[in-house]
Amino acid sequence: MDFLKSAVASAIAKGSSFPYSLGDRVDLSDSIWTLHNATKREDGSPCSVFTFDIASNKSRLPLAKNAVRKCRTLRHPGVIKVLDTIETDANIYIVTERVVPLSWHVKRRSLSEETSKWGLHTVASTLKFINGDASSVHGVVRASSVFTSESGEWKLGGFDVLSSMNDENAVIYTYGSLVPDAARYTPPEIVKSGWDTIKRNPLTAIDSYGLGILVYEVFNGSFSSGDQVGKTTNIPPSMHQSYKRLCTANPKLRLSPAHFVEQGKKSGGFFETPLIRLTDDIESLGLKNDAEREEFVNELDELSDDFPEEFFKMKVLPELLKSVEFGGGGPKVLGAILKIGSKLSQEEFNSRLTPVVVRLFGNPDRALRVCLLDNLPVMIDNLPQKIVNDKIFPQITSGFTDAAPVVREQTVKAVLPIINKLSDRVINGDLLKFLARTANDEQPGIRTNTTICLGRIAKNLGQSSRSKVLIAAFTRSLRDPFVHARNAGLLALGATLEFFTEEDCATKVLPAICPSLLDKERMVRDQANKTLDLYLQRIRKFGDTMADTVISPSVSADPTKDTARIGTSNDKSWAGWAISSFTNKLTAANGDIQSSANGAKPVEPEQEPARPASVPRPTRSASSVQKDTLRPAAQSLNRSLSEQPPTLFKEEDDTEDVYDAWGAMDDDEEDNQHKEEDPFSAAVTASPTISAPTPKPAPVPYDDGGEPDFAGWLAAQSKTKKPLPKGLNKSSPTSVPRASSRNSTVKPKTVVAPKKIDTKPKEEEEEDGWGDAWD
């Protein structure tokens, strides 16, 4: 059923000959007309329709017909623009531009003083035209006869009794009293002598009186009776004198609208305001020279926010766009355009400004480019993402390599407002390449701003390359000779802490920050300490969550004995650790082998008879002599575990075993580090069962058991510069030492003592085969 109703309604609407669709009714008092908002069916453009119902208001039909006739013939910028007039048997329609009654604003007291003066100037100028050029009388000047257009301009309407004074049968003479609420607004001479009095008084007298009442209404919100005429309540002091002359009771002394405008336009007059001057100059902006255009823009900057926005959108903005794009308006005009554009809706901005902005970014004028970059934050929200990414950013990139430093700097700053409108491919590709160039710019300010820019856009960078790019850029800035660049690098590192892993913080960032702790500038040092604290807090917090060790601790067979030892791992103090380390090393150095837990005796090396320290061990082969001579004594302590006696390797419960003692201390990470770095302890751990060959006091760890120090002695003898024996001379690899007469085995090249040595037991020496070596 609903569908059927809508279909029928649609058919009726399509079949109707009326080309406009009426909308909401607008409240309009003191008028014979009914006002509706409407749209044109052809293109949907907005308009207003004044409707007069003939049947219900037949006595005032001459007024409606007079209004239609005057609307068709009267043309002026201060008059409502009429689009169409339609007369039927039932109604009369006047279709105009979209308007709103001024009485709405007057009753709400929403008009500022500057706007009120601007509107009164427009109405007075229109009356000047009607009275002077058209030789006519409006007759109904009041707030209900004035409307505001979409551009915010005041438009004069209410032409019900508009009459030419050249017409002897003018409507105003006959039907003037039929105007709604005429008694309240009628001048005193009309009340006294009738409408024919107009012929005996100045033509402007009746409209001047109405203009005075309009001034009172605008500044006070309402007009109730003739007693209020001439009162200056709430009226600006600069207008008092002229206002009183408009409302004087003697029609011959009244100030005409033309003279009212003239007095207001004098130097220091009440019509000398920036808004009124702007209105007068906007139409001829394209014809002004550079000095006049600059003066115009300066006045435009003086305008406050309480001026009518609609006027700037509809009237000022189009003229400014023409000037900046085709008339050489320059950056100042562009700044005014963007200031007005900030008050446009999204749809209005896209339709009016976006195409112009895209074209202006391609303009080679550097001053214009800098102005656009400066104002990007103001207009970026209204620019579609696709337009920014595909059309505007490619034109912006030329600024990164521009020869002028100011252009490069402003281009870097412009990255911040547009970053959210760029795709990931553009950000991680072209943008980072250009920022890498500006990070190495010759201008220190540009380098500093690049560092700040990277810190601000860090969240927009791709995760795969973000930490690598940021660390490289920020650590580089820490070495910059410009103090503010170094400080910016530290600030950026502190702001982007969340984007780095703990490993990057510890291995890459902290080492780069540390040199800044001793920077020559206190500002940098202070910031370095703050940034360092941030990273240390994070690393320490992460370290607390890590395991104590990744090495499995060795479990002692008898934990009670470990507890009884001095300085074991149970002693967590720093001194206890030191005592434990010292005790373990001393025990290993002594080489004492304690009895095993099961009572088995350790295997002891074969005892050798006592002999002087300078006498070699008897009956040794040449190869063994070579090993003992060339190898330091410490080498005997570094045998692998596979070379240890099997019985000693299995004694795991020995409480004095050094390996087990270090293993029991594995719970302390710091102890483990020291144990791993102590070569002496490592050697002891590798060979825990070495004992002294005799019951004498234990030799030092690297003692060779009493054998002569051949290598050391040889080095001492070389200082005498005596030639070495033939057998000890360093020859080429092909030379072979002499063989002993008693031993046919060829002796390998070995380091032996020179001739001059104490060889008292010579017989034993010859028996060992060493005698031939001294020949």
Side-chain angles (χ1 to χ4, degrees):
M1 183 63 69
D2 292 337
F3 174 76
L4 182 60
K5 289 181 178 178
S6 61
V8 173
S10 177
I12 294 174
K14 289 182 180 179
S16 175
S17 59
F18 193 70
Y20 301 94
S21 298
L22 299 183
D24 300 332
R25 178 176 175 175
V26 179
D27 183 21
L28 184 62
S29 59
D30 300 336
S31 177
I32 64 174
W33 299 92
T34 302
L35 180 59
H36 293 269
N37 290 329
T39 56
K40 190 175 182 179
R41 290 186 177 182
E42 182 179 358
D43 55 8
S45 58
C47 60
S48 293
V49 176
F50 290 85
T51 304
F52 180 80
D53 187 355
I54 297 176
S56 62
N57 208 2
K58 195 170 184 177
S59 61
R60 292 172 173 171
L61 181 58
L63 300 180
K65 290 190 174 184
N66 182 71
V68 170
R69 187 169 55 254
K70 296 299 181 181
C71 285
R72 289 173 177 170
T73 58
L74 189 61
R75 292 288 184 269
H76 188 269
V79 173
I80 293 178
K81 182 180 180 181
V82 177
L83 304 178
D84 197 3
T85 58
I86 301 174
E87 297 185 41
T88 65
D89 295 338
N91 295 286
I92 296 177
Y93 302 99
I94 301 177
V95 182
T96 68
E97 59 182 320
R98 179 66 64 86
V99 292
V100 175
L102 178 66
S103 56
W104 283 17
H105 304 288
V106 170
K107 290 177 181 178
R108 291 197 302 265
R109 306 289 297 274
S110 61
L111 299 172
S112 67
E113 180 178 330
E114 293 298 319
T115 303
S116 299
K117 289 181 178 179
W118 173 61
L120 290 172
H121 174 265
T122 301
V123 173
S125 299
T126 305
L127 289 175
K128 174 185 175 182
F129 166 76
I130 291 174
N131 294 154
D133 297 342
S135 301
S136 301
V137 173
H138 186 279
V140 193
V141 179
R142 61 182 76 171
S144 59
S145 299
V146 181
F147 301 84
T148 59
S149 65
E150 287 185 302
S151 62
E153 296 174 281
W154 290 20
K155 302 285 187 173
L156 187 60
F159 300 139
D160 301 341
V161 292
L162 177 64
S163 302
S164 172
M165 292 297 98
N166 298 326
D167 185 3
E168 293 292 335
N169 299 318
V171 174
I172 193 171
Y173 300 140
T174 307
Y175 300 101
S177 299
L178 295 179
V179 175
D181 208 5
R184 184 154 50 108
Y185 293 95
T186 301
E189 68 273 15
I190 301 297
V191 174
K192 181 179 181 181
S193 304
W195 290 97
D196 289 337
T197 310
I198 297 176
K199 298 177 181 179
R200 297 188 293 271
N201 292 316
L203 182 147
T204 60
I206 188 172
D207 288 340
S208 295
Y209 188 85
L211 181 60
I213 294 176
L214 178 62
V215 171
Y216 184 88
E217 283 183 298
V218 167
F219 288 105
N220 289 276
S222 63
F223 176 76
S224 57
S225 65
D227 296 337
Q228 295 175 324
V229 176
K231 292 185 177 180
T232 58
T233 307
N234 296 326
I235 296 176
S238 59
M239 298 181 67
H240 284 180
Q241 184 177 359
S242 299
Y243 160 70
K244 288 180 179 180
R245 289 190 61 187
L246 288 175
C247 304
T248 183
N250 187 348
K252 298 185 184 305
L253 299 178
R254 287 177 192 155
L255 192 66
S256 67
H259 287 90
F260 182 71
V261 172
E262 183 180 349
Q263 289 189 1
K265 296 286 289 184
K266 288 182 180 179
S267 179
F270 47 85
F271 283 156
E272 277 292 306
T273 65
L275 187 58
I276 294 175
R277 287 196 297 269
L278 174 68
T279 306
D280 294 340
D281 296 340
I282 192 62
E283 299 293 340
S284 59
L285 180 61
L287 304 177
K288 295 182 180 297
N289 56 34
D290 292 341
E292 293 173 337
R293 188 184 297 110
E294 184 174 358
E295 182 182 357
F296 171 80
V297 175
N298 290 335
E299 291 182 353
L300 193 61
D301 291 338
E302 295 176 5
L303 299 178
S304 59
D305 293 335
D306 59 354
F307 292 142
E309 297 180 6
E310 295 79 7
F311 176 71
F312 287 96
K313 294 177 184 179
M314 303 293 294
K315 291 291 185 179
V316 178
L317 184 60
E319 297 297 329
L320 294 179
L321 289 174
K322 293 177 186 177
S323 175
V324 73
E325 194 169 6
F326 306 111
K332 277 205 163 187
V333 176
L334 178 61
I337 290 174
L338 297 177
K339 183 178 179 181
I340 298 172
S342 63
K343 300 180 181 181
L344 297 177
S345 65
Q346 181 72 47
E347 294 76 14
E348 291 173 334
F349 193 97
N350 289 336
S351 61
R352 298 184 184 183
L353 283 187
T354 299
V356 178
V357 169
V358 173
R359 291 195 296 268
L360 290 178
F361 266 110
N363 195 307
D365 186 355
R366 284 195 176 102
L368 198 61
R369 171 69 65 85
V370 171
C371 184
L372 283 169
L373 295 174
D374 279 340
N375 288 277
L376 261 179
V378 178
M379 58 182 174
I380 192 63
D381 291 337
N382 293 318
L383 293 173
Q385 181 175 2
K386 186 174 179 59
I387 295 294
V388 175
N389 191 77
D390 298 343
K391 296 183 178 180
I392 293 180
F393 180 76
Q395 296 176 354
I396 288 179
T397 55
S398 61
F400 288 107
T401 57
D402 196 278
V406 64
V407 178
R408 299 199 302 273
E409 184 171 6
Q410 291 304 127
T411 305
V412 172
K413 292 180 180 180
V415 172
L416 296 180
I418 69 170
I419 189 68
N420 293 323
K421 295 292 181 77
L422 300 180
S423 65
D424 292 339
R425 182 185 61 82
V426 171
I427 293 174
N428 297 287
D430 296 341
L431 179 59
L432 286 182
K433 291 179 183 178
F434 286 114
L435 291 179
R437 293 175 61 96
T438 56
N440 297 318
D441 197 275
E442 60 182 6
Q443 297 293 326
I446 296 177
R447 298 196 302 269
T448 303
N449 286 329
T450 301
T451 301
I452 296 172
C453 177
L454 281 172
R456 298 281 296 275
I457 68 172
K459 61 183 179 181
N460 301 97
L461 301 181
Q463 295 183 359
S464 60
S465 61
R466 176 165 52 198
S467 61
K468 181 179 179 181
V469 170
L470 295 182
I471 291 176
F474 297 158
T475 55
R476 186 176 210 167
S477 66
L478 297 183
R479 303 188 298 271
D480 197 290
F482 187 51
V483 57
H484 295 290
R486 300 197 298 275
N487 192 59
L490 292 168
L491 290 170
L493 282 172
T496 57
L497 172 63
E498 60 182 303
F499 301 119
F500 306 135
T501 63
E502 285 77 10
E503 183 178 357
D504 287 340
C505 294
T507 61
K508 298 178 181 179
V509 180
L510 282 178
I513 293 176
C514 288
S516 300
L517 297 173
L518 297 179
D519 195 274
K520 295 180 181 180
E521 299 293 336
R522 181 178 181 85
M523 176 178 66
V524 178
R525 295 196 302 271
D526 292 344
Q527 187 58 46
N529 278 284
K530 294 177 183 179
T531 306
L532 187 70
D533 290 342
L534 291 175
Y535 278 84
L536 287 177
Q537 289 175 11
R538 178 175 177 185
I539 293 175
R540 287 168 181 163
K541 184 176 180 180
F542 180 76
D544 292 340
T545 64
M546 298 175 65
D548 292 345
T549 180
V550 295
I551 303 174
S552 300
S554 300
V555 180
S556 176
D558 193 352
T560 58
K561 293 184 179 181
D562 289 342
T563 305
R565 288 168 52 195
I566 298 176
T568 62
S569 61
N570 293 322
D571 190 353
K572 296 298 182 181
S573 66
W574 177 80
W577 172 85
I579 294 171
S580 171
S581 177
F582 176 75
T583 305
N584 291 336
K585 291 180 181 181
L586 185 60
T587 304
N590 290 337
D592 296 337
I593 301 177
Q594 304 296 331
S595 58
S596 60
N598 56 8
K601 292 183 179 181
V603 178
E604 296 182 3
E606 186 179 357
Q607 297 290 335
E608 293 182 352
R611 58 183 174 78
S614 61
V615 178
R617 301 176 189 272
T619 62
R620 282 187 163 181
S621 65
S623 62
S624 64
V625 171
Q626 182 186 19
K627 292 179 181 178
D628 291 341
T629 305
L630 297 177
R631 182 178 59 196
Q635 295 296 329
S636 62
L637 301 176
N638 291 331
R639 290 185 297 175
S640 63
L641 293 177
S642 62
E643 298 173 352
Q644 301 295 334
T647 305
L648 296 177
F649 185 77
K650 294 180 181 179
E651 295 179 359
E652 298 176 354
D653 56 345
D654 188 358
T655 57
E656 296 298 328
D657 184 63
V658 179
Y659 180 81
D660 289 344
W662 282 102
M665 297 172 66
D666 284 344
D667 295 337
D668 193 334
E669 288 184 4
E670 186 173 320
D671 291 353
N672 286 338
Q673 183 178 355
H674 286 278
K675 286 182 284 187
E676 292 172 3
E677 295 176 357
D678 192 346
F680 173 74
S681 301
V684 173
T685 304
S687 301
T689 60
I690 302 303
S691 61
T694 63
K696 294 179 182 181
V700 293
Y702 290 93
D703 195 358
D704 59 355
E707 295 182 355
D709 185 7
F710 292 107
W713 188 88
L714 182 62
Q717 290 298 321
S718 64
K719 296 180 180 179
T720 62
K721 298 183 181 180
K722 293 181 179 182
L724 294 174
K726 187 176 183 180
L728 297 177
N729 190 20
K730 293 183 180 179
S731 59
S732 62
T734 58
S735 61
V736 180
R738 286 176 57 187
S740 174
S741 59
R742 298 182 181 181
N743 192 349
S744 60
T745 305
V746 179
K747 293 181 178 291
K749 181 175 66 174
T750 181
V751 180
V752 296
K755 266 186 176 183
K756 293 183 180 182
I757 187 170
D758 188 7
T759 57
K760 284 185 180 183
K762 199 167 187 178
E763 297 78 10
E764 296 179 11
E765 194 173 313
E766 291 176 358
E767 292 175 0
D768 290 338
W770 287 90
D772 295 335
W774 308 103
D775 294 338

